[in-house]
Amino acid sequence: MAGTSSVRIVLVVVFGVLALIGSAQAQLQMNFYASSCPKAEQIVLDYVKQHIPNAPSLAASFLRMHFHDCIVRGCDASVLLNSTSGQAEKNAVPNLTLRGFDFIERVKSLLEAECPGVVSCADILALVARDSVLTTGGPFWNVPTGRRDGVISNITEANANIPSPFHNFTTLLTLFSNQGLNLTDLVLLSGGHTIGISHCPAVSRRLYNSTGAGGIDPTMDSEYAENLKANKCKTASDNTTILEMDPGSRKTFDLSYYSLLLKRRGLFQSDAALTTDSTSLAFINQLLTRSPQFFFDEFAKAMEKMGRVNVKTGSEGQIRKQCALVNN
């Protein structure tokens, strides 16, 4: 009998835990604001459609901002928080080039006017990222809502958890795995670089301080590298010149990024790293043999999965009144 009781207790505990997990996930749902703020998602979309066509490069910025948010403490808008001591996530090295914080705040102010204290900054960022990419011709993906905003933002955590342009494949996969993301997600989410831009410090090491002739990284196509040195990053200390991550196709969300990887023309070391693993390389080749719509569909699945990473729901966190500040 004692054994039977133990089994019952264990089953109750197990199913109790599963119920808690299920209820948390259930609170992240499509049209979460249908009753509490029915116009919320349309307000976001309208603002994006009004402004992003005039600044289409922001689509890549919001995609990156959303990823950098989710990879540290989950998708809780902690990347948006300010710090009087300069110790917030946005002060971390990988986030110093993020743009669009004021755009998010303007969307937030519109939603606060419509439904005060209802729509989280975490959901706003997730929606703006999706709508911006869609508005510039990229894929649509579902954005279930109901995220709540975090109250902690830590520079050290951001520096430790956000993938670097200098990382090798093993490190990249470890950082993704730490957040419940897998190799397929790594390859697909890297595909967002098709509309990305960067600056010379992210690649100057490959151009000036590597083991190949002239300091060039031997894993980088020499013609591509010489062109970058002659026309873009003319000195190793250049930190202002803008670089396209998918030259010639940056304004189009397409498969060109993957084609360039196979030609050894990925800008970052972390881009080139995707071809150093046989499984990753096979998946890249698969993407290139399929239709652009297949890439869009797979990218959409990866984005929705990323948008669920360690979300706060229910009574966790808060709904900030301003995205850069924790409520008093």
Side-chain angles (χ1 to χ4, degrees):
M1 292 294 291
T4 303
S5 299
S6 298
V7 170
R8 285 174 179 164
I9 292 170
V10 169
L11 286 173
V12 168
V13 171
V14 169
F15 285 117
V17 170
L18 289 174
L20 285 171
I21 294 171
S23 64
Q25 283 298 313
Q27 293 175 56
L28 204 64
Q29 57 189 274
M30 297 300 296
N31 303 310
F32 177 83
Y33 299 108
S35 298
S36 58
C37 192
K39 296 180 182 178
E41 294 193 25
Q42 191 62 48
I43 289 171
V44 175
L45 180 59
D46 288 347
Y47 191 83
V48 167
K49 283 185 171 179
Q50 180 182 355
H51 295 284
I52 288 298
N54 299 322
S57 66
L58 277 176
S61 298
F62 290 131
L63 194 59
R64 183 167 173 246
M65 188 186 292
H66 182 31
F67 172 67
H68 283 202
D69 180 42
C70 293
I71 214 80
V72 183
R73 290 190 166 266
C75 311
D76 67 347
S78 51
V79 73
L80 303 178
L81 285 171
N82 288 340
S83 165
T84 54
S85 60
Q87 295 299 304
E89 287 176 33
K90 65 166 57 173
N91 304 114
V93 172
N95 290 333
L96 294 177
T97 52
L98 289 179
R99 299 181 301 129
F101 293 108
D102 54 338
F103 188 103
I104 300 294
E105 287 289 5
R106 288 197 293 272
V107 175
K108 176 62 172 173
S109 67
L110 292 174
L111 290 167
E112 284 297 298
E114 178 74 17
C115 315
V118 172
V119 182
S120 69
C121 296
D123 278 342
I124 292 171
L125 178 53
L127 289 165
V128 166
R130 190 272 310 278
D131 291 346
S132 297
V133 170
L134 184 64
T135 298
T136 54
F140 171 90
W141 62 89
N142 288 323
V143 178
T145 43
R147 298 167 189 79
R148 289 174 62 86
D149 299 323
V151 297
I152 296 171
S153 186
N154 185 291
I155 186 174
T156 304
E157 292 176 352
N159 280 325
N161 289 290
I162 296 173
S164 158
F166 312 112
H167 280 154
N168 61 26
F169 186 83
T170 302
T171 303
L172 291 171
L173 189 57
T174 298
L175 291 174
F176 270 66
S177 298
N178 289 346
Q179 308 303 327
L181 301 170
N182 59 28
L183 181 148
T184 302
D185 301 317
L186 168 58
V187 174
L188 288 166
L189 295 175
S190 296
H193 288 174
T194 181
I195 57 169
I197 58 173
S198 187
H199 298 82
C200 291
V203 74
S204 60
R205 190 183 302 179
R206 299 189 76 196
L207 300 177
Y208 290 97
N209 195 29
S210 195
T211 57
I216 293 174
D217 183 344
T219 67
M220 180 182 261
D221 176 73
S222 58
E223 184 180 343
Y224 175 49
E226 291 292 358
N227 181 271
L228 286 172
K229 291 177 75 169
N231 300 301
K232 295 290 185 179
C233 307
K234 297 180 181 179
T235 67
S237 58
D238 182 335
N239 60 7
T240 57
T241 300
I242 293 174
L243 304 172
E244 296 182 357
M245 299 195 68
D246 188 359
S249 182
R250 180 179 67 81
K251 295 182 180 180
T252 307
F253 206 104
D254 58 17
L255 288 160
S256 174
Y257 164 78
Y258 296 113
S259 297
L260 290 174
L261 293 188
L262 298 189
K263 296 175 182 175
R264 298 190 300 129
R265 293 190 170 200
L267 186 66
F268 295 163
Q269 184 64 51
S270 58
D271 293 318
L274 299 180
T275 65
T276 63
D277 175 83
S278 59
T279 307
S280 171
L281 180 59
F283 185 48
I284 291 170
N285 278 301
Q286 180 190 1
L287 288 170
L288 289 169
T289 60
R290 303 292 293 270
S291 68
Q293 188 59 50
F294 177 77
F295 169 46
F296 273 31
D297 292 345
E298 294 302 300
F299 183 83
K301 293 174 189 174
M303 284 301 302
E304 183 175 349
K305 181 178 177 182
M306 186 196 82
R308 292 180 177 274
V309 167
N310 294 327
V311 293
K312 295 170 177 62
T313 59
S315 59
E316 298 176 286
Q318 61 182 213
I319 304 297
R320 288 183 217 141
K321 296 173 184 176
Q322 292 178 263
C323 291
L325 302 171
V326 172
N327 297 342
N328 293 327

